[in-house]
Amino acid sequence: MTGPDNGLVSAYVHDADLDAEATVRPKRLEEFIAQHRVRDQLDLLLQGAMRRGSPPDHILLSGPPGLGKTTLANIVAAELGSGIRVTSGPVIERSGDLAAILTSLTEGDVLFIDEIHRIAKPAEELLYSAMEDFRVDVIVGKGPGATAIPLDVEPFTLVGATTRSGLLTGPMRDRFGFVAHLDFYSPADLEVLLRRSARILGVPITDEGAAEVAGRSRGTPRIANRLLRRVRDFAEVRADGVVTLETARAALKVYDVDALGLDRLDRAVLTALVDSFRGGPVGLSTLAVAVGEQPDTVEEVCEPFLVRAGLLARTPRGRVATEAAWRHLGRTPPNGTFGMDTPPVPDLFSMDADQP
């Protein structure tokens, strides 16, 4: 899924990631690292369907970007020995677009719709009958003379992926027989993933080097693989080609990724909160102006990790820097509740400045 930022530690996919990810992407379920609960449940689902000789239930994968939803969709097709059609919610603007895709599927195919929560309403309603009855009604003509032509669809399995499952409508969610949520990876799992990727890419890496890169990858495989490629470049150009602890640290310093995995923009947000607004609270738009970025970039790219890392809090009065943020920046935290007892900074750029 593309996103509003192209930072090195952004979990959104870059154009340059596509070919590189395809190289190291697991092809079978047994190769998929971590997500053990989801992997076991999915294995039971697929094995049962293959024994019955019928397509498995439709599958919904949810979770933050970069955790392997697209990889799992391709694995489902590989395990079933079926073809896969890939599209995304924003691309499907009309019901006719979806009908053309559905009627071109062959029996047992997998249809993967990324960001399925962004599919247009008319297309979503058409998808209901396709998922339940393997049939679509195509409307021909307009007004009183319009006619619905029923078309049969070959039995298929829909794999939907979403980063915001709360935006899915109830009827859509209820039509998935299997719903899985992908969690962030532990550093230990990321180390295993990095060693596997390094073998595929032909990059010599020590255990300490893998641990250093894993610790700065924000629990996200996509970021880990991206950092590995950048550290490889540094090792080949400025070192002996081996990714060691010292090489990884030196490389990530060049790329401005600190020990917690924060990049320039993350630190700019925390620095603005601490130095310019005394720790907050401050409205999102004002904070975005202070760091020279768009509000959606700050909200979608920076804040999720900063909140998860315990460096930033979103309150009804605005954003607040935590004690951990002050200490990470090398500042002495103030006494009290870290911004909670200071008056909110008015947000002159937004009517909903009091919203978190």
Side-chain angles (χ1 to χ4, degrees), residues 313-325:
R314 298 201 290 190
T315 74
R317 297 166 60 194
R319 274 61 176 174
V320 175
T322 66
E323 179 181 1

Side-chain angles (χ1 to χ4, degrees), residues 99-295:
I101 295 174
L102 291 170
T103 54
S104 68
L105 297 175
T106 60
E107 184 175 358
D109 275 358
V110 172
L111 173 60
F112 175 57
I113 303 181
D114 196 12
E115 292 303 288
I116 194 171
H117 64 271
R118 297 177 61 186
I119 193 172
K121 188 65 176 178
E124 178 180 325
E125 293 174 352
L126 181 76
L127 192 56
Y128 294 162
S129 59
M131 294 173 70
E132 288 187 330
D133 305 322
F134 300 114
R135 178 181 59 84
V136 295
D137 294 324
V138 179
I139 306 299
V140 178
K142 296 182 179 180
T147 303
I149 302 177
L151 297 176
D152 290 332
V153 176
E154 295 290 347
F156 71 99
T157 297
L158 172 65
V159 179
T162 176
T163 55
R164 306 183 70 177
S165 59
L167 296 183
L168 281 175
T169 62
M172 171 63 79
R173 189 183 296 107
D174 292 342
R175 283 170 169 79
F176 286 98
F178 176 73
V179 179
H181 179 82
L182 275 62
D183 298 315
F184 288 101
Y185 284 49
S186 69
D189 287 332
L190 284 178
E191 288 181 42
V192 176
L193 181 145
L194 283 167
R195 286 195 290 269
R196 176 184 179 276
S197 296
R199 287 195 300 272
I200 295 173
L201 297 174
V203 180
I205 188 170
T206 66
D207 290 344
E208 294 79 9
E212 186 67 19
V213 176
R216 304 191 189 202
S217 298
R218 302 161 81 120
T220 306
R222 176 175 293 150
I223 296 175
N225 284 323
R226 190 184 298 146
L227 292 181
L228 175 63
R229 296 195 301 274
R230 300 291 72 78
V231 172
R232 173 193 60 184
D233 295 340
F234 182 94
E236 291 176 349
V237 174
R238 299 188 181 179
D240 59 0
V242 179
V243 178
T244 63
L245 173 63
E246 294 75 14
T247 302
R249 286 179 176 175
L252 294 174
K253 183 177 181 180
V254 169
Y255 289 110
D256 215 16
V257 178
D258 70 16
L260 291 184
L262 273 59
D263 65 2
R264 177 204 60 81
L265 183 56
D266 298 320
R267 289 193 299 276
V269 169
L270 294 182
T271 301
L273 265 175
V274 169
D275 292 346
S276 301
F277 303 108
R278 305 186 306 280
V282 59
L284 172 62
S285 296
T286 299
L287 184 58
V289 170
V291 297
E293 288 287 348
Q294 295 297 317

Side-chain angles (χ1 to χ4, degrees), residues 270 299 302-314 319-320 322:
L270 294 182
E299 185 175 27
C302 297
E303 287 189 350
F305 180 71
L306 294 178
V307 171
R308 186 163 59 91
L311 300 172
L312 180 144
R314 298 201 290 190
R319 274 61 176 174
V320 175
T322 66

